[in-house]
Amino acid sequence: MDPIELKLKSTTLYSFKPERMDYVEWRRLVTIGYVAMVGDLFHGGHINILRHAKVYSQIVVVGVLTDEAVSSYKREPVTNFEERCKLISQIKFVDIVIPQYSFSYADNLRLVRPKYVFHGKDWKHGVQKDTREEVIRVVQEFGGKLIEPNRYEGVSTSQIIEGIQSREK
């Protein structure tokens, strides 16, 4: 049994399925959303994307990027991987937390096979552009869709870091 199947079978939603329904049939019926995130210096934008995911999905799986994955494309996280997983797992919009070992979503998407992947529109340009294109290609393999909610009009992680750094001067 793969690790995601084990986690899906431990959800309340799975425990409520009819007795005669097997895992394969249940899996075809349930709507799964996937969100990858660093979750460092958690703020309203993170909640916004998770809320969108929960509206569309019966089960929301969050792939938390490992410290190594984050460092591969931007700064080292302020909060370590284990702490970020603990925090994110306690959010009411999140059902399952799994590690995302690289900047690429491909392995986790093929494992989870979500109907929807959620990410803010901020990755259409810049360092994440190629990753976005890869996500679109991979989810099309199993009929999934990328949903990009409007940008959260509030504070971002970068703004939090800039604010802290400006106070130190």
Side-chain angles (χ1 to χ4, degrees):
M1 185 178 319
D2 67 52
I4 196 67
E5 181 178 339
L6 194 60
K7 288 185 180 224
L8 287 169
K9 285 183 173 180
S10 71
T11 63
T12 303
L13 191 62
Y14 184 79
S15 69
F16 289 154
K17 74 172 184 49
E19 284 183 32
R20 293 180 182 224
M21 182 183 289
D22 66 6
Y23 174 77
V24 174
E25 182 181 359
W26 176 82
R27 184 64 182 82
R28 260 195 322 269
L29 294 174
V30 71
T31 303
I32 296 177
Y34 184 81
V35 179
M37 68 171 45
V38 177
D40 201 18
L41 302 176
F42 213 80
H43 56 76
H46 295 114
I47 293 294
N48 186 54
I49 201 84
L50 293 170
R51 183 182 304 120
H52 273 85
K54 197 60 178 175
V55 166
Y56 282 82
S57 313
Q58 291 167 296
I59 295 177
V60 174
V61 178
V62 176
V64 178
L65 278 78
T66 62
D67 297 341
E68 295 77 19
V70 177
S71 297
S72 75
Y73 79 100
K74 64 180 186 179
R75 64 175 168 70
E76 190 174 316
V78 175
T79 307
N80 71 43
F81 173 73
E82 291 77 18
E83 288 298 316
R84 291 183 284 119
C85 286
K86 285 179 194 174
L87 171 70
I88 292 166
S89 71
Q90 296 305 307
I91 296 167
K92 70 179 180 179
F93 305 120
V94 176
D95 298 292
I96 296 172
V97 172
I98 62 174
Q100 183 165 314
Y101 294 104
S102 75
F103 189 43
S104 169
Y105 289 44
D107 289 345
N108 277 10
L109 293 180
R110 289 188 177 110
L111 178 68
V112 175
R113 301 178 64 82
K115 182 169 183 177
Y116 302 112
V117 176
F118 298 85
H119 196 287
K121 294 180 180 180
D122 59 338
W123 68 339
K124 289 185 176 184
H125 310 285
V127 69
Q128 295 185 26
K129 183 180 181 213
D130 292 341
T131 302
R132 179 183 182 271
E133 291 169 4
E134 176 191 54
V135 166
I136 292 168
R137 281 193 310 275
V138 172
V139 296
Q140 286 174 346
E141 293 173 11
F142 46 83
K145 180 181 176 185
L146 172 63
I147 296 179
E148 299 168 305
N150 288 329
R151 186 181 185 298
Y152 174 74
E153 295 302 326
V155 70
S156 69
T157 302
S158 298
Q159 289 170 324
I160 293 171
I161 291 171
E162 289 167 13
I164 292 168
Q165 289 172 337
S166 71
R167 290 182 185 149
E168 291 176 349
K169 294 178 182 177

